[in-house]
């Protein structure tokens, strides 16, 4: 059974960098694309981006170059970095496996999510 | 970007009754070369991550009860719960994977009447 678990600071100061890690168990990170999605409190879902261990990435243009997703195959983990955060980046951040189809796909399974609050 | 619009925002349904959720895309998500609709449905219960219910607009995931069904093509899609159970109370989202950025509908909250 594939499981994903997010980890990282729950509080980040404005203008700083949000950093999260997703640990994958029950599957090899080399076998699929992996993705980050976020959900502001009480709101809908926003795709952040995804990547493959080969280095192929695809990011949401709405994040305007602030996002980087990377993979650590030795630890079976992938990570998210979001720079220059503001209060608008406060959200529950989910990691998920992408069932890749063409340049996109659907998300399954998901991690439990981690709330990141941007505040001074 | 493909904008996904769901309706209604919320609906209250009695136990055993039918719930119907609509999802409309701003452009077709039907890929002509394979005649497949690039659309998925998710269920999100309070405090939980979304769970994939349906891919390709109508293909139920393994383990999903058959009271859940997806239909539609092109730009108009429907998720139907044929006989609502208490455990179906949740927010439901559609998502297109025809093109990036991958986008979701705003969600439909299903409650018990």
């Amino acid at each position: 059974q594939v499981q994903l678990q997010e980890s990282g600071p729950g509080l980040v100061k404005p203008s700083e960098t949000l950093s999260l890690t997703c640990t994958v168990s029950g599957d090899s990170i080399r076998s699929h694309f992996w993705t980050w999605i976020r959900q502001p409190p009480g709101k809908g879902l926003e795709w952040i981006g995804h990547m493959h261990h080969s280095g192929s990435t695809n990011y949401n243009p709405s994040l305007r170059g602030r996002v980087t997703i990377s993979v650590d195959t030795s630890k079976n983990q992938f990570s998210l970095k979001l720079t220059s955060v503001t209060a608008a980046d406060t959200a529950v951040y989910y990691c998920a496996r992408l069932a890749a189809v063409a340049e996109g796909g659907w998300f399954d399974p998901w991690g439990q999510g981690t709330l990141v609050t941007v505040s001074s | 970007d493909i904008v996904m619009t769901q309706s209604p925002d919320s609906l209250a349904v009695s136990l055993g009754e039918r719930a119907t959720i609509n999802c409309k895309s701003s452009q077709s998500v039907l890929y002509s070369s394979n005649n497949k609709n690039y659309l998925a449905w998710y269920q999100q219960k309070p405090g939980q991550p979304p769970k994939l219910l349906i891919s390709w607009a109508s293909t139920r995931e393994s383990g999903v009860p058959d009271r859940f069904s997806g239909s539609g093509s092109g730009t108009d899609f429907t998720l139907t719960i044929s006989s609502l159970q208490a455990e179906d109370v949740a927010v439901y989202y559609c998502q297109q994977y025809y093109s990036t950025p991958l986008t979701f509908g705003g969600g439909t909250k299903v409650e018990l009447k």
Side-chain angles (χ1 to χ4, degrees), chain A residues 39 43 45 47 58 60 94 101 103-108 110-112, chain B residues 38 42 44 48-50 52 55-56 93 95 97 99-102 104:
Chain A
Q39 183 172 37
K43 296 189 177 180
L45 299 158
W47 168 73
N58 197 327
N60 194 325
Y94 295 101
V101 175
E103 65 182 66
W106 60 84
F107 311 109
D108 180 56
W110 298 57
Q112 280 300 116
Chain B
Y38 284 44
Y42 300 86
Q44 186 176 32
Q48 295 185 19
L52 177 69
S55 56
W56 301 119
Y93 294 94
Q95 177 235 330
Y97 47 95
S99 66
T100 55
L102 306 177
F104 294 87

PDB file of all heavy atoms in Angstrom, chain A residues 39 43 45 47 58 60 94 101 103-108 110-112, chain B residues 38 42 44 48-50 52 55-56 93 95 97 99-102 104:
ATOM      1  N   GLN A  39      -4.406  23.751  -0.512  1.00  0.00           N
ATOM      2  CA  GLN A  39      -5.798  24.101  -0.269  1.00  0.00           C
ATOM      3  C   GLN A  39      -5.850  25.137   0.853  1.00  0.00           C
ATOM      4  O   GLN A  39      -5.689  24.795   2.026  1.00  0.00           O
ATOM      5  CB  GLN A  39      -6.594  22.847   0.116  1.00  0.00           C
ATOM      6  CG  GLN A  39      -8.069  23.084   0.310  1.00  0.00           C
ATOM      7  CD  GLN A  39      -8.829  21.780   0.505  1.00  0.00           C
ATOM      8  OE1 GLN A  39      -8.331  20.843   1.135  1.00  0.00           O
ATOM      9  NE2 GLN A  39     -10.039  21.710  -0.031  1.00  0.00           N
ATOM     10  N   LYS A  43     -11.172  26.624   1.436  1.00  0.00           N
ATOM     11  CA  LYS A  43     -11.266  26.914   0.002  1.00  0.00           C
ATOM     12  C   LYS A  43     -10.970  25.684  -0.845  1.00  0.00           C
ATOM     13  O   LYS A  43     -10.873  24.571  -0.326  1.00  0.00           O
ATOM     14  CB  LYS A  43     -10.316  28.062  -0.347  1.00  0.00           C
ATOM     15  CG  LYS A  43     -10.685  29.371   0.335  1.00  0.00           C
ATOM     16  CD  LYS A  43      -9.853  30.520  -0.195  1.00  0.00           C
ATOM     17  CE  LYS A  43     -10.283  31.833   0.454  1.00  0.00           C
ATOM     18  NZ  LYS A  43      -9.474  32.977  -0.048  1.00  0.00           N
ATOM     19  N   LEU A  45      -8.979  23.550  -4.244  1.00  0.00           N
ATOM     20  CA  LEU A  45      -7.678  22.927  -4.479  1.00  0.00           C
ATOM     21  C   LEU A  45      -6.925  23.618  -5.609  1.00  0.00           C
ATOM     22  O   LEU A  45      -7.523  23.993  -6.626  1.00  0.00           O
ATOM     23  CB  LEU A  45      -7.893  21.449  -4.834  1.00  0.00           C
ATOM     24  CG  LEU A  45      -8.570  20.622  -3.737  1.00  0.00           C
ATOM     25  CD1 LEU A  45      -9.211  19.384  -4.333  1.00  0.00           C
ATOM     26  CD2 LEU A  45      -7.559  20.245  -2.663  1.00  0.00           C
ATOM     27  N   TRP A  47      -3.368  23.057  -7.936  1.00  0.00           N
ATOM     28  CA  TRP A  47      -2.191  22.284  -8.330  1.00  0.00           C
ATOM     29  C   TRP A  47      -0.976  23.202  -8.340  1.00  0.00           C
ATOM     30  O   TRP A  47      -1.022  24.289  -8.918  1.00  0.00           O
ATOM     31  CB  TRP A  47      -2.415  21.670  -9.704  1.00  0.00           C
ATOM     32  CG  TRP A  47      -1.222  21.084 -10.354  1.00  0.00           C
ATOM     33  CD1 TRP A  47      -0.581  19.919 -10.022  1.00  0.00           C
ATOM     34  CD2 TRP A  47      -0.493  21.616 -11.460  1.00  0.00           C
ATOM     35  NE1 TRP A  47       0.485  19.706 -10.865  1.00  0.00           N
ATOM     36  CE2 TRP A  47       0.556  20.727 -11.762  1.00  0.00           C
ATOM     37  CE3 TRP A  47      -0.633  22.764 -12.249  1.00  0.00           C
ATOM     38  CZ2 TRP A  47       1.460  20.941 -12.803  1.00  0.00           C
ATOM     39  CZ3 TRP A  47       0.259  22.981 -13.289  1.00  0.00           C
ATOM     40  CH2 TRP A  47       1.295  22.078 -13.551  1.00  0.00           C
ATOM     41  N   ASN A  58       6.905  20.375 -14.200  1.00  0.00           N
ATOM     42  CA  ASN A  58       5.820  21.173 -14.760  1.00  0.00           C
ATOM     43  C   ASN A  58       5.200  21.929 -13.595  1.00  0.00           C
ATOM     44  O   ASN A  58       4.724  21.306 -12.647  1.00  0.00           O
ATOM     45  CB  ASN A  58       4.783  20.259 -15.433  1.00  0.00           C
ATOM     46  CG  ASN A  58       3.863  21.001 -16.377  1.00  0.00           C
ATOM     47  OD1 ASN A  58       3.529  22.157 -16.154  1.00  0.00           O
ATOM     48  ND2 ASN A  58       3.459  20.334 -17.442  1.00  0.00           N
ATOM     49  N   ASN A  60       2.781  25.310 -11.995  1.00  0.00           N
ATOM     50  CA  ASN A  60       1.657  26.200 -12.254  1.00  0.00           C
ATOM     51  C   ASN A  60       2.186  27.624 -12.497  1.00  0.00           C
ATOM     52  O   ASN A  60       2.850  28.187 -11.623  1.00  0.00           O
ATOM     53  CB  ASN A  60       0.703  26.188 -11.060  1.00  0.00           C
ATOM     54  CG  ASN A  60      -0.642  26.810 -11.386  1.00  0.00           C
ATOM     55  OD1 ASN A  60      -0.723  27.763 -12.161  1.00  0.00           O
ATOM     56  ND2 ASN A  60      -1.690  26.281 -10.788  1.00  0.00           N
ATOM     57  N   TYR A  94      -0.615  19.358   0.251  1.00  0.00           N
ATOM     58  CA  TYR A  94      -0.684  17.919   0.059  1.00  0.00           C
ATOM     59  C   TYR A  94       0.371  17.474  -0.950  1.00  0.00           C
ATOM     60  O   TYR A  94       0.589  18.148  -1.971  1.00  0.00           O
ATOM     61  CB  TYR A  94      -2.037  17.515  -0.514  1.00  0.00           C
ATOM     62  CG  TYR A  94      -3.232  17.749   0.358  1.00  0.00           C
ATOM     63  CD1 TYR A  94      -4.077  18.850   0.160  1.00  0.00           C
ATOM     64  CD2 TYR A  94      -3.564  16.852   1.378  1.00  0.00           C
ATOM     65  CE1 TYR A  94      -5.189  19.051   0.946  1.00  0.00           C
ATOM     66  CE2 TYR A  94      -4.680  17.050   2.170  1.00  0.00           C
ATOM     67  CZ  TYR A  94      -5.492  18.142   1.952  1.00  0.00           C
ATOM     68  OH  TYR A  94      -6.608  18.324   2.732  1.00  0.00           O
ATOM     69  N   VAL A 101      -0.750  11.233 -17.450  1.00  0.00           N
ATOM     70  CA  VAL A 101      -1.406  11.092 -18.748  1.00  0.00           C
ATOM     71  C   VAL A 101      -1.012  12.316 -19.557  1.00  0.00           C
ATOM     72  O   VAL A 101      -1.285  13.450 -19.149  1.00  0.00           O
ATOM     73  CB  VAL A 101      -2.937  11.040 -18.608  1.00  0.00           C
ATOM     74  CG1 VAL A 101      -3.577  11.029 -19.983  1.00  0.00           C
ATOM     75  CG2 VAL A 101      -3.370   9.851 -17.774  1.00  0.00           C
ATOM     76  N   GLU A 103       0.620  15.447 -20.557  1.00  0.00           N
ATOM     77  CA  GLU A 103       1.390  16.363 -19.715  1.00  0.00           C
ATOM     78  C   GLU A 103       0.788  16.515 -18.314  1.00  0.00           C
ATOM     79  O   GLU A 103       1.344  17.219 -17.481  1.00  0.00           O
ATOM     80  CB  GLU A 103       1.474  17.736 -20.370  1.00  0.00           C
ATOM     81  CG  GLU A 103       0.139  18.446 -20.504  1.00  0.00           C
ATOM     82  CD  GLU A 103       0.286  19.801 -21.206  1.00  0.00           C
ATOM     83  OE1 GLU A 103       0.643  19.806 -22.398  1.00  0.00           O
ATOM     84  OE2 GLU A 103       0.049  20.828 -20.549  1.00  0.00           O
ATOM     85  N   GLY A 104      -0.311  15.806 -18.047  1.00  0.00           N
ATOM     86  CA  GLY A 104      -0.954  15.951 -16.745  1.00  0.00           C
ATOM     87  C   GLY A 104      -1.303  14.624 -16.140  1.00  0.00           C
ATOM     88  O   GLY A 104      -0.509  13.685 -16.192  1.00  0.00           O
ATOM     89  N   GLY A 105      -2.492  14.530 -15.558  1.00  0.00           N
ATOM     90  CA  GLY A 105      -2.941  13.293 -14.960  1.00  0.00           C
ATOM     91  C   GLY A 105      -3.791  13.571 -13.749  1.00  0.00           C
ATOM     92  O   GLY A 105      -4.094  14.710 -13.423  1.00  0.00           O
ATOM     93  N   TRP A 106      -4.180  12.486 -13.095  1.00  0.00           N
ATOM     94  CA  TRP A 106      -4.952  12.636 -11.864  1.00  0.00           C
ATOM     95  C   TRP A 106      -4.089  12.269 -10.667  1.00  0.00           C
ATOM     96  O   TRP A 106      -2.968  11.776 -10.830  1.00  0.00           O
ATOM     97  CB  TRP A 106      -6.231  11.790 -11.915  1.00  0.00           C
ATOM     98  CG  TRP A 106      -6.038  10.318 -12.073  1.00  0.00           C
ATOM     99  CD1 TRP A 106      -5.790   9.401 -11.084  1.00  0.00           C
ATOM    100  CD2 TRP A 106      -6.053   9.569 -13.296  1.00  0.00           C
ATOM    101  NE1 TRP A 106      -5.659   8.155 -11.618  1.00  0.00           N
ATOM    102  CE2 TRP A 106      -5.827   8.213 -12.961  1.00  0.00           C
ATOM    103  CE3 TRP A 106      -6.250   9.919 -14.632  1.00  0.00           C
ATOM    104  CZ2 TRP A 106      -5.786   7.210 -13.925  1.00  0.00           C
ATOM    105  CZ3 TRP A 106      -6.214   8.916 -15.593  1.00  0.00           C
ATOM    106  CH2 TRP A 106      -5.984   7.584 -15.231  1.00  0.00           C
ATOM    107  N   PHE A 107      -4.616  12.524  -9.461  1.00  0.00           N
ATOM    108  CA  PHE A 107      -3.820  12.423  -8.240  1.00  0.00           C
ATOM    109  C   PHE A 107      -4.323  11.281  -7.358  1.00  0.00           C
ATOM    110  O   PHE A 107      -5.454  11.299  -6.901  1.00  0.00           O
ATOM    111  CB  PHE A 107      -3.904  13.742  -7.467  1.00  0.00           C
ATOM    112  CG  PHE A 107      -3.652  14.951  -8.334  1.00  0.00           C
ATOM    113  CD1 PHE A 107      -4.689  15.811  -8.650  1.00  0.00           C
ATOM    114  CD2 PHE A 107      -2.393  15.227  -8.835  1.00  0.00           C
ATOM    115  CE1 PHE A 107      -4.470  16.924  -9.457  1.00  0.00           C
ATOM    116  CE2 PHE A 107      -2.163  16.333  -9.639  1.00  0.00           C
ATOM    117  CZ  PHE A 107      -3.201  17.182  -9.946  1.00  0.00           C
ATOM    118  N   ASP A 108      -3.443  10.312  -7.125  1.00  0.00           N
ATOM    119  CA  ASP A 108      -3.822   9.185  -6.305  1.00  0.00           C
ATOM    120  C   ASP A 108      -2.612   8.308  -6.024  1.00  0.00           C
ATOM    121  O   ASP A 108      -1.938   7.882  -6.966  1.00  0.00           O
ATOM    122  CB  ASP A 108      -4.880   8.332  -7.026  1.00  0.00           C
ATOM    123  CG  ASP A 108      -5.324   7.120  -6.232  1.00  0.00           C
ATOM    124  OD1 ASP A 108      -5.780   7.306  -5.084  1.00  0.00           O
ATOM    125  OD2 ASP A 108      -5.201   6.002  -6.745  1.00  0.00           O
ATOM    126  N   TRP A 110      -3.019  10.417  -2.001  1.00  0.00           N
ATOM    127  CA  TRP A 110      -2.633  11.695  -1.403  1.00  0.00           C
ATOM    128  C   TRP A 110      -2.036  11.459  -0.009  1.00  0.00           C
ATOM    129  O   TRP A 110      -2.403  10.501   0.667  1.00  0.00           O
ATOM    130  CB  TRP A 110      -3.850  12.607  -1.237  1.00  0.00           C
ATOM    131  CG  TRP A 110      -4.552  12.992  -2.491  1.00  0.00           C
ATOM    132  CD1 TRP A 110      -5.093  12.154  -3.434  1.00  0.00           C
ATOM    133  CD2 TRP A 110      -4.861  14.325  -2.922  1.00  0.00           C
ATOM    134  NE1 TRP A 110      -5.709  12.882  -4.433  1.00  0.00           N
ATOM    135  CE2 TRP A 110      -5.583  14.210  -4.137  1.00  0.00           C
ATOM    136  CE3 TRP A 110      -4.605  15.595  -2.413  1.00  0.00           C
ATOM    137  CZ2 TRP A 110      -6.036  15.334  -4.846  1.00  0.00           C
ATOM    138  CZ3 TRP A 110      -5.061  16.707  -3.115  1.00  0.00           C
ATOM    139  CH2 TRP A 110      -5.769  16.568  -4.316  1.00  0.00           C
ATOM    140  N   GLY A 111      -1.157  12.365   0.402  1.00  0.00           N
ATOM    141  CA  GLY A 111      -0.762  12.419   1.787  1.00  0.00           C
ATOM    142  C   GLY A 111      -1.869  13.033   2.628  1.00  0.00           C
ATOM    143  O   GLY A 111      -2.866  13.525   2.085  1.00  0.00           O
ATOM    144  N   GLN A 112      -1.689  13.020   3.935  1.00  0.00           N
ATOM    145  CA  GLN A 112      -2.705  13.563   4.839  1.00  0.00           C
ATOM    146  C   GLN A 112      -2.757  15.086   4.815  1.00  0.00           C
ATOM    147  O   GLN A 112      -3.748  15.673   5.223  1.00  0.00           O
ATOM    148  CB  GLN A 112      -2.453  13.079   6.269  1.00  0.00           C
ATOM    149  CG  GLN A 112      -2.952  11.663   6.528  1.00  0.00           C
ATOM    150  CD  GLN A 112      -4.458  11.538   6.305  1.00  0.00           C
ATOM    151  OE1 GLN A 112      -4.926  10.818   5.413  1.00  0.00           O
ATOM    152  NE2 GLN A 112      -5.234  12.242   7.119  1.00  0.00           N
TER     153      GLN A 112
ATOM    154  N   TYR B  38     -10.701  13.833 -20.358  1.00  0.00           N
ATOM    155  CA  TYR B  38      -9.631  13.919 -19.367  1.00  0.00           C
ATOM    156  C   TYR B  38     -10.154  14.610 -18.104  1.00  0.00           C
ATOM    157  O   TYR B  38      -9.812  15.755 -17.789  1.00  0.00           O
ATOM    158  CB  TYR B  38      -8.442  14.670 -19.967  1.00  0.00           C
ATOM    159  CG  TYR B  38      -7.640  13.835 -20.934  1.00  0.00           C
ATOM    160  CD1 TYR B  38      -8.248  13.034 -21.899  1.00  0.00           C
ATOM    161  CD2 TYR B  38      -6.251  13.843 -20.888  1.00  0.00           C
ATOM    162  CE1 TYR B  38      -7.501  12.264 -22.772  1.00  0.00           C
ATOM    163  CE2 TYR B  38      -5.490  13.079 -21.761  1.00  0.00           C
ATOM    164  CZ  TYR B  38      -6.128  12.291 -22.699  1.00  0.00           C
ATOM    165  OH  TYR B  38      -5.385  11.529 -23.566  1.00  0.00           O
ATOM    166  N   TYR B  42     -13.223  13.671  -7.278  1.00  0.00           N
ATOM    167  CA  TYR B  42     -12.682  13.361  -5.952  1.00  0.00           C
ATOM    168  C   TYR B  42     -13.748  13.632  -4.900  1.00  0.00           C
ATOM    169  O   TYR B  42     -14.611  14.489  -5.063  1.00  0.00           O
ATOM    170  CB  TYR B  42     -11.471  14.256  -5.635  1.00  0.00           C
ATOM    171  CG  TYR B  42     -10.325  14.118  -6.598  1.00  0.00           C
ATOM    172  CD1 TYR B  42     -10.285  14.869  -7.770  1.00  0.00           C
ATOM    173  CD2 TYR B  42      -9.280  13.239  -6.353  1.00  0.00           C
ATOM    174  CE1 TYR B  42      -9.245  14.747  -8.668  1.00  0.00           C
ATOM    175  CE2 TYR B  42      -8.221  13.119  -7.238  1.00  0.00           C
ATOM    176  CZ  TYR B  42      -8.211  13.873  -8.401  1.00  0.00           C
ATOM    177  OH  TYR B  42      -7.180  13.748  -9.280  1.00  0.00           O
ATOM    178  N   GLN B  44     -13.871  14.622  -0.752  1.00  0.00           N
ATOM    179  CA  GLN B  44     -13.090  15.068   0.398  1.00  0.00           C
ATOM    180  C   GLN B  44     -13.992  15.188   1.612  1.00  0.00           C
ATOM    181  O   GLN B  44     -14.891  16.028   1.649  1.00  0.00           O
ATOM    182  CB  GLN B  44     -12.394  16.400   0.132  1.00  0.00           C
ATOM    183  CG  GLN B  44     -11.465  16.816   1.272  1.00  0.00           C
ATOM    184  CD  GLN B  44     -10.697  18.095   0.995  1.00  0.00           C
ATOM    185  OE1 GLN B  44     -11.166  18.989   0.311  1.00  0.00           O
ATOM    186  NE2 GLN B  44      -9.485  18.178   1.536  1.00  0.00           N
ATOM    187  N   GLN B  48      -9.814  15.359   5.979  1.00  0.00           N
ATOM    188  CA  GLN B  48      -9.126  14.316   5.212  1.00  0.00           C
ATOM    189  C   GLN B  48      -8.670  14.863   3.865  1.00  0.00           C
ATOM    190  O   GLN B  48      -9.210  15.860   3.376  1.00  0.00           O
ATOM    191  CB  GLN B  48     -10.056  13.127   4.988  1.00  0.00           C
ATOM    192  CG  GLN B  48     -10.458  12.395   6.256  1.00  0.00           C
ATOM    193  CD  GLN B  48     -11.279  11.148   5.953  1.00  0.00           C
ATOM    194  OE1 GLN B  48     -11.272  10.619   4.838  1.00  0.00           O
ATOM    195  NE2 GLN B  48     -12.006  10.682   6.952  1.00  0.00           N
ATOM    196  N   PRO B  49      -7.686  14.184   3.258  1.00  0.00           N
ATOM    197  CA  PRO B  49      -7.321  14.583   1.892  1.00  0.00           C
ATOM    198  C   PRO B  49      -8.382  14.113   0.905  1.00  0.00           C
ATOM    199  O   PRO B  49      -9.183  13.220   1.216  1.00  0.00           O
ATOM    200  CB  PRO B  49      -6.002  13.828   1.659  1.00  0.00           C
ATOM    201  CG  PRO B  49      -6.109  12.619   2.531  1.00  0.00           C
ATOM    202  CD  PRO B  49      -6.870  13.064   3.747  1.00  0.00           C
ATOM    203  N   PRO B  50      -8.400  14.698  -0.271  1.00  0.00           N
ATOM    204  CA  PRO B  50      -9.305  14.192  -1.309  1.00  0.00           C
ATOM    205  C   PRO B  50      -8.984  12.739  -1.652  1.00  0.00           C
ATOM    206  O   PRO B  50      -7.830  12.299  -1.555  1.00  0.00           O
ATOM    207  CB  PRO B  50      -9.025  15.125  -2.498  1.00  0.00           C
ATOM    208  CG  PRO B  50      -8.521  16.381  -1.877  1.00  0.00           C
ATOM    209  CD  PRO B  50      -7.714  15.918  -0.689  1.00  0.00           C
ATOM    210  N   LEU B  52      -9.611   9.902  -4.755  1.00  0.00           N
ATOM    211  CA  LEU B  52     -10.015   9.724  -6.153  1.00  0.00           C
ATOM    212  C   LEU B  52     -11.190   8.754  -6.248  1.00  0.00           C
ATOM    213  O   LEU B  52     -11.132   7.647  -5.716  1.00  0.00           O
ATOM    214  CB  LEU B  52      -8.838   9.178  -6.961  1.00  0.00           C
ATOM    215  CG  LEU B  52      -9.117   8.865  -8.430  1.00  0.00           C
ATOM    216  CD1 LEU B  52      -9.338  10.159  -9.219  1.00  0.00           C
ATOM    217  CD2 LEU B  52      -7.963   8.061  -9.023  1.00  0.00           C
ATOM    218  N   SER B  55     -11.916   8.379 -12.782  1.00  0.00           N
ATOM    219  CA  SER B  55     -11.048   8.963 -13.792  1.00  0.00           C
ATOM    220  C   SER B  55     -11.676   8.747 -15.166  1.00  0.00           C
ATOM    221  O   SER B  55     -12.641   7.976 -15.300  1.00  0.00           O
ATOM    222  CB  SER B  55      -9.645   8.346 -13.741  1.00  0.00           C
ATOM    223  OG  SER B  55      -9.724   6.932 -13.890  1.00  0.00           O
ATOM    224  N   TRP B  56     -11.138   9.385 -16.171  1.00  0.00           N
ATOM    225  CA  TRP B  56     -11.682   9.293 -17.538  1.00  0.00           C
ATOM    226  C   TRP B  56     -13.193   9.564 -17.577  1.00  0.00           C
ATOM    227  O   TRP B  56     -13.912   8.957 -18.363  1.00  0.00           O
ATOM    228  CB  TRP B  56     -11.364   7.932 -18.161  1.00  0.00           C
ATOM    229  CG  TRP B  56      -9.913   7.620 -18.264  1.00  0.00           C
ATOM    230  CD1 TRP B  56      -9.254   6.580 -17.676  1.00  0.00           C
ATOM    231  CD2 TRP B  56      -8.906   8.366 -18.987  1.00  0.00           C
ATOM    232  NE1 TRP B  56      -7.917   6.628 -17.989  1.00  0.00           N
ATOM    233  CE2 TRP B  56      -7.682   7.714 -18.797  1.00  0.00           C
ATOM    234  CE3 TRP B  56      -8.938   9.519 -19.783  1.00  0.00           C
ATOM    235  CZ2 TRP B  56      -6.491   8.166 -19.354  1.00  0.00           C
ATOM    236  CZ3 TRP B  56      -7.754   9.964 -20.355  1.00  0.00           C
ATOM    237  CH2 TRP B  56      -6.559   9.303 -20.139  1.00  0.00           C
ATOM    238  N   TYR B  93     -15.084  17.315  -5.833  1.00  0.00           N
ATOM    239  CA  TYR B  93     -14.367  18.161  -6.779  1.00  0.00           C
ATOM    240  C   TYR B  93     -14.183  17.442  -8.112  1.00  0.00           C
ATOM    241  O   TYR B  93     -13.881  16.246  -8.137  1.00  0.00           O
ATOM    242  CB  TYR B  93     -12.965  18.505  -6.260  1.00  0.00           C
ATOM    243  CG  TYR B  93     -12.931  19.371  -5.027  1.00  0.00           C
ATOM    244  CD1 TYR B  93     -12.852  18.796  -3.756  1.00  0.00           C
ATOM    245  CD2 TYR B  93     -12.945  20.756  -5.122  1.00  0.00           C
ATOM    246  CE1 TYR B  93     -12.807  19.590  -2.620  1.00  0.00           C
ATOM    247  CE2 TYR B  93     -12.904  21.563  -3.989  1.00  0.00           C
ATOM    248  CZ  TYR B  93     -12.839  20.965  -2.740  1.00  0.00           C
ATOM    249  OH  TYR B  93     -12.789  21.754  -1.613  1.00  0.00           O
ATOM    250  N   GLN B  95     -11.771  17.624 -11.681  1.00  0.00           N
ATOM    251  CA  GLN B  95     -10.437  18.080 -12.072  1.00  0.00           C
ATOM    252  C   GLN B  95     -10.187  17.689 -13.518  1.00  0.00           C
ATOM    253  O   GLN B  95     -10.444  16.553 -13.909  1.00  0.00           O
ATOM    254  CB  GLN B  95      -9.368  17.437 -11.188  1.00  0.00           C
ATOM    255  CG  GLN B  95      -7.932  17.792 -11.568  1.00  0.00           C
ATOM    256  CD  GLN B  95      -7.064  16.580 -11.829  1.00  0.00           C
ATOM    257  OE1 GLN B  95      -7.261  15.509 -11.247  1.00  0.00           O
ATOM    258  NE2 GLN B  95      -6.075  16.716 -12.713  1.00  0.00           N
ATOM    259  N   TYR B  97      -7.484  17.048 -16.608  1.00  0.00           N
ATOM    260  CA  TYR B  97      -6.073  16.779 -16.858  1.00  0.00           C
ATOM    261  C   TYR B  97      -5.781  16.799 -18.350  1.00  0.00           C
ATOM    262  O   TYR B  97      -4.841  16.172 -18.832  1.00  0.00           O
ATOM    263  CB  TYR B  97      -5.593  15.483 -16.196  1.00  0.00           C
ATOM    264  CG  TYR B  97      -6.472  14.251 -16.368  1.00  0.00           C
ATOM    265  CD1 TYR B  97      -6.237  13.328 -17.371  1.00  0.00           C
ATOM    266  CD2 TYR B  97      -7.520  14.011 -15.477  1.00  0.00           C
ATOM    267  CE1 TYR B  97      -7.014  12.193 -17.512  1.00  0.00           C
ATOM    268  CE2 TYR B  97      -8.313  12.876 -15.603  1.00  0.00           C
ATOM    269  CZ  TYR B  97      -8.059  11.978 -16.626  1.00  0.00           C
ATOM    270  OH  TYR B  97      -8.843  10.849 -16.750  1.00  0.00           O
ATOM    271  N   SER B  99      -4.946  19.554 -19.988  1.00  0.00           N
ATOM    272  CA  SER B  99      -3.787  20.416 -20.195  1.00  0.00           C
ATOM    273  C   SER B  99      -3.356  21.040 -18.885  1.00  0.00           C
ATOM    274  O   SER B  99      -4.138  21.133 -17.938  1.00  0.00           O
ATOM    275  CB  SER B  99      -4.106  21.521 -21.213  1.00  0.00           C
ATOM    276  OG  SER B  99      -5.085  22.401 -20.706  1.00  0.00           O
ATOM    277  N   THR B 100      -2.105  21.460 -18.844  1.00  0.00           N
ATOM    278  CA  THR B 100      -1.628  22.182 -17.671  1.00  0.00           C
ATOM    279  C   THR B 100      -1.845  23.674 -17.883  1.00  0.00           C
ATOM    280  O   THR B 100      -1.802  24.149 -19.029  1.00  0.00           O
ATOM    281  CB  THR B 100      -0.136  21.909 -17.412  1.00  0.00           C
ATOM    282  OG1 THR B 100       0.621  22.217 -18.580  1.00  0.00           O
ATOM    283  CG2 THR B 100       0.078  20.453 -17.033  1.00  0.00           C
ATOM    284  N   PRO B 101      -2.094  24.445 -16.822  1.00  0.00           N
ATOM    285  CA  PRO B 101      -2.145  23.999 -15.444  1.00  0.00           C
ATOM    286  C   PRO B 101      -3.352  23.109 -15.157  1.00  0.00           C
ATOM    287  O   PRO B 101      -4.450  23.378 -15.631  1.00  0.00           O
ATOM    288  CB  PRO B 101      -2.228  25.308 -14.653  1.00  0.00           C
ATOM    289  CG  PRO B 101      -2.898  26.266 -15.584  1.00  0.00           C
ATOM    290  CD  PRO B 101      -2.390  25.899 -16.947  1.00  0.00           C
ATOM    291  N   LEU B 102      -3.101  22.029 -14.421  1.00  0.00           N
ATOM    292  CA  LEU B 102      -4.189  21.161 -13.998  1.00  0.00           C
ATOM    293  C   LEU B 102      -5.098  21.962 -13.070  1.00  0.00           C
ATOM    294  O   LEU B 102      -4.619  22.660 -12.172  1.00  0.00           O
ATOM    295  CB  LEU B 102      -3.623  19.934 -13.284  1.00  0.00           C
ATOM    296  CG  LEU B 102      -2.564  19.157 -14.088  1.00  0.00           C
ATOM    297  CD1 LEU B 102      -2.006  17.996 -13.259  1.00  0.00           C
ATOM    298  CD2 LEU B 102      -3.139  18.672 -15.403  1.00  0.00           C
ATOM    299  N   PHE B 104      -9.010  22.437 -10.877  1.00  0.00           N
ATOM    300  CA  PHE B 104     -10.130  21.834 -10.171  1.00  0.00           C
ATOM    301  C   PHE B 104     -11.347  22.743 -10.235  1.00  0.00           C
ATOM    302  O   PHE B 104     -11.225  23.967 -10.343  1.00  0.00           O
ATOM    303  CB  PHE B 104      -9.784  21.651  -8.689  1.00  0.00           C
ATOM    304  CG  PHE B 104      -8.689  20.665  -8.401  1.00  0.00           C
ATOM    305  CD1 PHE B 104      -7.360  21.066  -8.413  1.00  0.00           C
ATOM    306  CD2 PHE B 104      -8.978  19.346  -8.084  1.00  0.00           C
ATOM    307  CE1 PHE B 104      -6.340  20.170  -8.120  1.00  0.00           C
ATOM    308  CE2 PHE B 104      -7.973  18.444  -7.784  1.00  0.00           C
ATOM    309  CZ  PHE B 104      -6.651  18.857  -7.806  1.00  0.00           C
TER     310      PHE B 104
END
